[in-house]
Amino acid sequence: MFRIITLFVLFMSGSAFGADNYGLREHCQGFADKNFEMRTTEDTLCLTYFKAIEDSGREKCFALQYFEENGGWTEDQKRLIAKFAIGNSNNPNSLKELNASIQYYLNLMQKKPEQWGNAPVTAVRQSLQAIYPGCR
């Protein structure tokens, strides 16, 4: 059920922040400035965007682990999926890792204003992978 809600919010949020790093950065900066306390719709959009990409990456980790144990993929296929995988947290419901990923993203975007016009998915995935290194 959470995934359906997440997908809906992501769909709706595309127009809400223009689906670029600049808009997401603006929403997430406000969220970080409030010590990651959700008070506004923009805070929810920021957290939900990160959570959706984290969930997608986590599923890729599960797929990699399954095929490592049971075979069935070539090395090239495994490398491709691993590129998008996000490691498992000890506590998948913990907001600590998501908040750390959001802060990492904000720091990254501060250093790379030339990426503000890009879609945020790549930078968000990079930020999540920095906090959740590899599949465990």
Side-chain angles (χ1 to χ4, degrees):
M1 182 63 164
F2 181 75
R3 288 187 188 148
I4 292 171
I5 293 169
T6 300
L7 290 173
F8 176 75
V9 171
L10 276 177
F11 175 75
M12 297 305 293
S13 68
S15 60
F17 61 81
D20 63 15
N21 279 315
Y22 181 81
L24 183 61
R25 184 184 67 85
E26 289 293 309
H27 291 335
C28 290
Q29 187 63 59
F31 184 42
D33 289 346
K34 293 180 290 228
N35 292 322
F36 301 101
E37 292 182 20
M38 276 194 292
R39 298 182 192 160
T40 66
T41 302
E42 289 80 11
D43 300 341
T44 305
L45 290 173
C46 173
L47 186 63
T48 303
Y49 195 91
F50 275 77
K51 182 64 177 160
I53 295 173
E54 180 217 15
D55 283 348
S56 174
R58 188 181 309 275
E59 287 180 8
K60 288 169 182 63
C61 276
F62 292 142
L64 281 173
Q65 291 166 352
Y66 174 83
F67 286 108
E68 285 292 323
E69 294 168 5
N70 300 299
W73 279 1
T74 68
E75 288 303 313
D76 287 340
Q77 290 169 319
K78 287 185 218 176
R79 276 194 296 276
L80 178 63
I81 294 296
K83 180 178 177 182
F84 298 99
I86 295 169
N88 300 322
S89 167
N90 291 332
N91 179 1
N93 296 316
S94 173
L95 293 178
K96 183 178 178 183
E97 290 90 352
L98 280 173
N99 293 345
S101 298
I102 292 168
Q103 188 61 59
Y104 187 98
Y105 170 80
L106 291 170
N107 295 341
L108 180 68
M109 286 298 101
Q110 185 66 28
K111 296 175 189 171
K112 297 186 175 189
E114 69 276 7
Q115 292 185 10
W116 289 1
N118 297 348
V121 66
T122 300
V124 169
R125 187 179 62 243
Q126 179 183 353
S127 300
L128 287 162
Q129 287 173 329
I131 304 301
Y132 299 91
C135 298
R136 297 180 217 158

